[in-house]
Amino acid sequence: MSTKEMNHLDKLEAQSVYILREAYANFKSLVMLWSIGKDSTVLLWLARKAFFSHVPFPLVHIDTNYKIPEMIQYRDRLALEYKLNMVYGQNTEALKNKQTYPDGTIDRLSCCKNLKTDALKNTLAGTWPRWRMDHNLKKYVPDEDKEPYTGVIVGARADEEGSRSKERYFSPRDKYSDWDVGDQPPELWNQFKTDFAPGTHIRIHPLLDWTELDIWEYIERESIPVVPLYFDQGKGERYRSLGCYPCTFPVKSTAKNIKEIIAELKTGKFKNIAERSGRAQDKEDGGLETLRKQGYM
Amino acid sequence: MENLIDKAKKLFGGETMNIDLMPKMNIVVVGHVDHGKSTLVGRLLADTDSLPQGKLDQVKADCQRNAKPFEYAFLLDALKDERAQGITIDTARCFFKSKKRQYIIIDAPGHIEFLKNMVSGAARAEAALLLIDAKEGIRENSKRHGYLLSMLGIKQITVCVNKMDLANYSEEVFNQIEKDYRAFLQQIGVVPEQFIPIAAFHGDNMVSKSDKMPWYKGPSILEMLDQFKKAQPPENQVFRMPVQSIYKFTADGDDRRIIAGKVETGSISVGDEVIFLPSNKRCKIKSIEGFNVPAQQKVSAGHSTGVTLTEELYLQRGDIMCRLSETLPQVSSLLQVKLFWMNKRPLVMGKEYKLKIGTAKVSVYVKKINHVLDASNLNSAQKTQVERHDVAELVLETKTPVAFDLTGDIEATGRFVIVDEYDISGGGIITSMIRDEQADVRDQVVLREQKWDFSIVDRGERAKKYGHHPKFILLTGKVGVDKKTIAKEIEKDLFESGCKTYFLGIGNLLRGLDVDLDKKARHEHVRRMGEVAHIWMDAGLIVVATASNLNDEELRMLQEVVSRDQVMIVNVGKNEFRQGLVDVQLEANAPAAESVKKIRALLTEQKVFAV
């Protein structure tokens, strides 16, 4: 058995698992970012594939406080069910001082910078507080560990938008999290950059070659649980991409399950509409690229 | 709490459905700068209705606003820097579908500054489109890219002669370029699939035949793409799996010790006998592991997998797992290679670099530069170093032997990269194996391991009972420097703490085991000492041996006879060995207790007592 031809999902899986294991073998202070969306949930599943049901590193979530509530419920249920080493961070200052777009004090991109980029940088660096799931108490407690996380596994896909299509599987960032797009290390065959000067941070992108359709096909094949927000609950709309509720809008769709989402992507009306079209911060020229250069995922 | 998996199953709408999974193929587009690579890809996306809605109009509007002529390349050159300069800086991936399959198109930059980006893009591809400008003709990167494609192992290459509109769609121009470029490819052993005349901007011969070039009878670009053959993982070759890691995750009472890796070639089944090279360890496959998959008896090329073994062998990342009954890889510290260099700092003799091959990473030096080639014209240069964008034929010497195949036999285990400080700086392929000084001993040891009759006492069980793993501690140094006192004190110290241990002076063998040997047959004396130590280590002992005046070559031979990671080399007094060969350096005449302490600390660090 298993001598049948590998299909494209088998190949994508094998390559992503290889990359995850290379990351784990080469980096001491490794974490995986989990946005609760479908991509990073597939990534989490692939980690369980790579490490035979275990997830041997912390999962980090940046909680903007404006995430759709179902996302947080789902995160914590899965964290308990899979016994994940779950950590979250937050820009408590900006929230306290009402420096957010929903507070009406700043624009969308500045809000992303405050609640996501800055929170992410400082949570990874260990300079702001982190909260860790205590599996005995079944709730989050302040995390004693202040060590910086220097290797970060991220679920970015090349087909999402222009700047992501140029990423490497192993992508170095300097200590300011800056990304030098013009001077990226070569990647040959299955050899990635795994040697770094002290102070370098590395992002690892095991999902680069996956498309939105691959993601859904894989979710279907593996029966991976995803947030129900992706499905029409009877109102004739669903989320195609998840984010903060003030800036993320559902799309008109009656897809009630994964089968119908796949059909919709393959032949239906979303065939040629960008996945992030419901994300308001991408709309300004160069919006996402500017954010990414500053450290946005 | 409701089980999410159950909930998820409800959402899948009942039974699993049959999605018609389309095959996928990676194609790279290469060629000299401005010969129209991004235009070709942009046009292909537009003509196959693969662009997100509104993207084409948005880019056209951008152009109008900034008063510049529209180009299809702008669709791809999405980064702001690139739009400003009008060149492709890095490799972009685009996705589109034909009726036959899905494509990932990798648009590689043609500018010489960005060669490492082109190489990164091309290394992922299964086939390549190489563009040549009909008006400008063959340029240096047309050739350099062609050369690199062949080194990267890309077998299917189609040459597109672009901008035919600027050459009046002339058959003569096309034929001349085809003739010249074919001759170049022949020199490097590449047979192209096809030459196609196109005008990418106008869409000629892109998705369908152009009426402007009725003299051309071959396929259009899209038809050509669909004709490329899909390579399946090489399952019928001999089995190779570079070991990525050894996992023992103990959460939830998991007691599996899993050897993880990706099967590069061949296949392996439960019960098969395997050997790990270069460490020469032998064992049997107990199980094939996976998560959320049905139980497996066999796993084949292409899969990332994991196995458990019938015994708990001490193994390390970097070895290649092979099937004992098949042709085994080569093992040597000398490699004849072909390499291309991408770093601004040249590759020089005498400097230590790192060689990464499979999952192994070892120190490496350039031993000899046979010749250096300018890949853009194939001119050979007499150089004493390899500069950026040069291609060279070299002999590399690794600090410790590596296992590999010749690229011609198995690609995956026959290619490597070289790391200079922190950067991947060169890539290459191994063209032939050179026997190093240890080759004869190594051959004998491989045979010995293949024929070794193991006892039914499990090695792991034995180690548990004895409280330690076997080890060969070898003390050496000049004649007259006292090594025996230290060795005997180590033996006593280990013995008193309950270890199974024994002292062996090489002199003890001279009038017994070695009585048939000439006193001058040093090499054979040393080899036999290694074989005796090897037997005792198989018995589970920590052997403490002394031998004076050993040299680099003899130490290396002992590392072959006894497995490398089981030897601890201790030098007493002046150290004249090659850097990195000695594990512990002791001062002559230092108090014995201090020396014993040092060695014990290293034994603990090497986890000899962790059973």
Side-chain angles (χ1 to χ4, degrees):
Chain A
M1 61 163 289
S2 95
T3 48
K4 70 177 168 65
E5 272 194 16
M6 292 175 84
N7 65 33
H8 71 278
L9 292 180
D10 297 326
K11 287 180 188 168
L12 287 169
E13 178 192 79
Q15 178 68 357
S16 300
V17 164
Y18 186 85
I19 291 166
L20 284 167
R21 288 175 178 168
E22 283 301 284
Y24 185 58
N26 284 292
F27 299 106
K28 289 276 167 289
S29 184
L30 188 68
V31 293
M32 182 182 276
L33 284 193
W34 187 26
S35 74
I36 326 299
K38 63 189 188 319
D39 300 329
S40 55
T41 303
V42 163
L43 196 57
L44 169 60
W45 193 263
L46 288 164
R48 301 179 80 207
K49 287 262 178 190
F51 308 110
F52 304 93
S53 87
H54 303 274
V55 183
F57 34 70
L59 284 151
V60 173
H61 180 231
I62 298 307
D63 188 351
T64 60
N65 205 38
Y66 290 107
K67 294 290 172 192
I68 306 167
E70 283 96 321
M71 292 170 69
I72 303 297
Q73 286 166 21
Y74 164 87
R75 175 191 77 189
D76 294 343
R77 286 165 67 172
L78 229 57
L80 289 169
E81 209 170 302
Y82 295 170
K83 300 195 174 64
L84 302 174
N85 184 356
M86 186 74 221
V87 171
Y88 80 83
Q90 192 165 62
N91 188 346
T92 45
E93 283 297 301
L95 290 167
K96 201 173 78 194
N97 300 330
K98 302 201 176 302
Q99 288 301 304
T100 75
Y101 171 74
D103 287 313
T105 50
I106 54 174
D107 65 19
R108 284 195 163 102
L109 282 180
S110 307
C111 183
C112 270
K113 183 180 180 299
N114 282 350
L115 297 187
K116 291 182 177 175
T117 313
D118 289 351
L120 177 68
K121 276 193 207 176
N122 287 287
T123 301
L124 293 178
T127 44
W128 288 0
R130 298 168 181 157
W131 289 267
R132 186 181 293 268
M133 175 63 87
D134 183 318
H135 283 269
N136 292 319
L137 303 173
K138 297 198 188 321
K139 63 170 195 179
Y140 290 89
V141 295
D143 191 6
E144 301 298 317
D145 177 18
K146 308 264 183 258
E147 280 301 301
Y149 300 134
T150 51
V152 184
I153 306 169
V154 190
R157 295 186 346 254
D159 77 328
E160 286 175 277
E161 50 77 53
S163 70
R164 287 190 184 177
S165 76
K166 312 228 163 182
E167 278 284 8
R168 296 285 197 269
Y169 298 118
F170 285 68
S171 170
R173 301 291 202 266
D174 66 17
K175 60 186 171 203
Y176 309 106
S177 298
D178 282 344
W179 181 36
D180 188 348
V181 186
D183 186 27
Q184 298 196 70
E187 285 183 341
L188 290 186
W189 309 304
N190 261 343
Q191 299 293 356
F192 313 112
K193 182 173 169 72
T194 51
D195 301 85
F196 294 97
T200 322
H201 290 237
I202 179 88
R203 292 200 183 159
I204 300 130
H205 304 111
L207 295 184
L208 269 195
D209 293 338
W210 295 60
T211 62
E212 186 186 11
L213 182 60
D214 296 330
I215 292 283
W216 282 113
E217 287 176 344
Y218 191 70
I219 289 171
E220 199 274 346
R221 180 177 103 171
E222 297 282 325
S223 301
I224 302 169
V226 290
V227 192
L229 294 166
Y230 284 113
F231 308 105
D232 172 30
Q233 311 280 358
K235 288 185 184 161
E237 58 180 29
R238 66 178 192 86
Y239 286 92
R240 192 170 166 205
S241 170
L242 293 180
C244 298
Y245 56 81
C247 296
T248 310
F249 307 106
V251 292
K252 295 263 175 260
S253 162
T254 55
K256 288 183 292 301
N257 54 46
I258 293 173
K259 207 189 275 190
E260 290 174 16
I261 289 182
I262 292 172
E264 199 175 68
L265 285 174
K266 278 186 126 163
T267 53
K269 56 182 191 164
F270 292 139
K271 201 174 135 245
N272 290 338
I273 297 178
E275 176 186 0
R276 290 179 63 96
S277 56
R279 304 285 282 266
Q281 70 266 38
D282 293 7
K283 288 293 181 312
E284 285 109 87
D285 181 45
L288 195 55
E289 187 188 340
T290 308
L291 282 172
R292 282 172 65 71
K293 279 193 172 166
Q294 293 164 351
Y296 184 86
M297 296 288 171
Chain B
M1 183 183 301
E2 189 188 356
N3 185 317
L4 278 168
I5 302 231
D6 290 340
K7 187 161 182 190
K9 278 185 184 143
K10 278 183 223 157
L11 291 169
F12 290 96
E15 82 285 16
T16 320
M17 63 176 184
N18 252 333
I19 317 161
D20 68 282
L21 296 169
M22 272 179 124
K24 232 179 200 183
M25 185 178 245
N26 285 358
I27 308 278
V28 68
V29 184
V30 300
H32 197 76
V33 66
D34 274 343
H35 283 199
K37 294 175 293 297
S38 300
T39 305
L40 177 136
V41 180
R43 182 80 209 203
L44 213 47
L45 294 181
D47 288 359
T48 52
D49 192 23
S50 309
L51 292 167
Q53 227 171 54
K55 180 90 179 177
L56 190 60
D57 293 336
Q58 181 206 324
V59 172
K60 279 183 174 164
D62 275 358
C63 288
Q64 204 157 32
R65 205 166 48 234
N66 297 316
K68 28 176 214 192
F70 165 77
E71 288 182 31
Y72 284 98
F74 294 153
L75 292 167
L76 272 75
D77 295 346
L79 294 174
K80 284 193 290 188
D81 286 349
E82 289 175 358
R83 273 207 298 264
Q85 295 180 30
I87 55 169
T88 307
I89 293 173
D90 204 339
T91 299
R93 297 175 183 76
C94 307
F95 298 77
F96 87 94
K97 266 183 282 188
S98 72
K99 285 200 183 73
K100 187 174 170 186
R101 58 188 163 211
Q102 309 180 58
Y103 289 98
I104 300 180
I105 302 284
I106 303 160
D107 175 31
H111 200 280
I112 184 78
E113 273 304 300
F114 308 118
L115 194 74
K116 63 185 175 146
N117 295 336
M118 172 268 166
V119 163
S120 304
R124 293 190 190 114
E126 293 157 87
L129 298 177
L130 190 147
L131 268 77
I132 298 174
D133 185 320
K135 193 138 180 267
E136 232 182 79
I138 300 161
R139 296 291 306 273
E140 64 263 26
N141 279 337
S142 320
K143 289 186 174 173
R144 188 178 273 119
H145 284 184
Y147 195 99
L148 290 176
L149 288 177
S150 80
M151 266 186 83
L152 289 165
I154 293 157
K155 307 269 183 294
Q156 309 181 80
I157 300 174
T158 282
V159 182
C160 314
V161 181
N162 190 25
K163 307 190 191 176
M164 285 300 291
D165 52 322
L166 302 182
N168 299 319
Y169 298 102
S170 150
E171 186 178 6
E172 287 69 36
V173 170
F174 174 77
N175 285 345
Q176 189 59 45
I177 289 174
E178 169 164 2
K179 187 169 160 256
D180 295 346
Y181 199 69
R182 230 179 235 287
F184 166 77
L185 289 178
Q186 198 174 10
Q187 275 179 277
I188 57 172
V190 173
V191 182
E193 306 278 311
Q194 183 75 39
F195 279 75
I196 307 179
I198 59 171
F201 185 84
H202 303 288
D204 292 310
N205 284 338
M206 291 296 293
V207 299
S208 55
K209 300 285 167 47
S210 163
D211 52 14
K212 305 228 177 53
M213 292 171 274
W215 45 268
Y216 173 72
K217 307 287 180 220
S220 68
I221 295 288
L222 191 64
E223 288 164 347
M224 189 64 231
L225 291 178
D226 279 350
Q227 282 176 28
F228 283 132
K229 281 177 207 73
K230 187 77 200 148
Q232 273 301 314
E235 198 189 318
N236 298 326
Q237 283 182 299
V238 293
F239 173 75
R240 298 283 186 263
M241 185 185 104
V243 174
Q244 251 184 315
S245 284
I246 291 91
Y247 298 132
K248 188 150 188 178
F249 300 115
T250 49
D252 289 331
D254 193 344
D255 62 355
R256 294 172 298 174
R257 188 166 170 278
I258 300 175
I259 319 300
K262 187 175 181 204
V263 182
E264 294 290 359
T265 51
S267 65
I268 195 93
S269 300
V270 172
D272 282 352
E273 281 210 83
V274 291
I275 185 162
F276 294 85
L277 290 171
S279 79
N280 243 328
K281 297 192 178 145
R282 218 181 96 185
C283 210
K284 250 186 204 165
I285 303 285
K286 186 177 161 193
S287 67
I288 293 165
E289 299 293 328
F291 167 71
N292 203 39
V293 284
Q296 308 163 80
Q297 290 298 310
K298 180 180 176 183
V299 62
S300 312
H303 289 273
S304 282
T305 186
V307 301
T308 65
L309 303 174
T310 51
E311 277 192 65
E312 295 215 341
L313 282 191
Y314 176 75
L315 292 168
Q316 279 175 309
R317 174 180 159 90
D319 268 8
I320 305 180
M321 185 164 87
C322 313
R323 235 156 97 180
L324 197 61
S325 60
E326 293 176 334
T327 308
L328 296 178
Q330 320 268 3
V331 176
S332 182
S333 54
L334 292 177
L335 314 171
Q336 170 102 45
V337 307
K338 208 186 254 187
L339 162 146
F340 57 91
W341 193 248
M342 296 175 279
N343 199 324
K344 286 183 188 130
R345 281 191 305 271
L347 175 72
V348 294
M349 313 265 296
K351 184 176 173 185
E352 181 176 341
Y353 297 94
K354 290 269 183 272
L355 176 90
K356 286 171 79 178
I357 175 163
T359 53
K361 185 172 164 189
V362 295
S363 293
V364 70
Y365 297 84
V366 178
K367 192 174 169 76
K368 193 173 164 220
I369 297 177
N370 287 340
H371 69 268
V372 177
L373 210 64
D374 182 338
S376 69
N377 53 27
L378 300 184
N379 287 342
S380 186
Q382 282 307 317
K383 284 194 195 176
T384 52
Q385 58 182 26
V386 185
E387 279 158 83
R388 186 154 80 130
H389 305 145
D390 281 346
V391 175
E393 288 182 17
L394 311 167
V395 178
L396 298 177
E397 181 169 21
T398 54
K399 219 165 184 178
T400 55
V402 286
F404 60 89
D405 289 285
L406 304 186
T407 309
D409 298 332
I410 300 180
E411 275 186 340
T413 44
R415 51 200 184 189
F416 62 88
V417 296
I418 288 191
V419 177
D420 181 8
E421 308 204 341
Y422 303 110
D423 303 316
I424 292 182
S425 303
I429 54 179
I430 303 174
T431 50
S432 62
M433 187 266 217
I434 302 173
R435 288 175 73 80
D436 62 14
E437 282 177 318
Q438 311 310 332
D440 292 342
V441 169
R442 200 176 289 126
D443 289 350
Q444 171 242 315
V445 168
V446 167
L447 220 69
R448 180 193 80 196
E449 289 305 303
Q450 279 177 354
K451 301 292 173 193
W452 196 267
D453 200 353
F454 288 104
S455 77
I456 55 171
V457 178
D458 181 282
R459 282 168 278 183
E461 289 303 313
R462 197 193 297 269
K464 261 180 218 155
K465 192 149 213 169
Y466 290 180
H468 58 82
H469 295 285
K471 193 86 193 175
F472 180 42
I473 306 172
L474 175 68
L475 287 88
T476 188
K478 294 274 168 259
V479 178
V481 176
D482 183 18
K483 298 165 286 279
K484 285 188 187 166
T485 308
I486 305 169
K488 289 176 184 175
E489 288 293 334
I490 296 165
E491 183 202 16
K492 184 160 163 262
D493 180 72
L494 290 169
F495 177 77
E496 283 175 353
S497 63
C499 298
K500 311 287 180 202
T501 179
Y502 188 71
F503 163 78
L504 169 70
I506 194 167
N508 294 359
L509 301 177
L510 287 178
R511 274 159 206 90
L513 181 67
D514 289 354
V515 76
D516 58 320
L517 292 183
D518 187 317
K519 253 193 140 179
K520 286 178 199 140
R522 268 190 73 91
H523 181 90
E524 183 58 12
H525 281 290
V526 174
R527 191 191 70 79
R528 287 190 189 182
M529 180 176 74
E531 288 292 351
V532 171
H534 172 257
I535 292 175
W536 278 343
M537 289 169 62
D538 194 47
L541 270 61
I542 299 177
V543 184
V544 192
T546 58
S548 290
N549 276 351
L550 293 179
N551 59 31
D552 282 17
E553 190 267 322
E554 287 162 340
L555 285 188
R556 288 192 169 186
M557 176 180 63
L558 284 169
Q559 288 180 324
E560 293 296 332
V561 174
V562 179
S563 175
R564 185 162 300 96
D565 53 35
Q566 291 186 309
V567 187
M568 182 193 292
I569 294 169
V570 183
N571 181 62
V572 188
K574 200 171 175 207
N575 182 357
E576 287 172 347
F577 291 106
R578 186 165 176 173
Q579 200 201 339
L581 204 51
V582 169
D583 299 301
V584 189
Q585 170 61 34
L586 300 177
E587 295 317 309
N589 307 321
E594 214 173 85
S595 304
V596 171
K597 222 171 134 186
K598 260 189 162 174
I599 290 173
R600 236 194 197 275
L602 188 60
L603 287 172
T604 308
E605 193 190 310
Q606 293 181 344
K607 301 193 169 124
V608 171
F609 306 114
V611 290

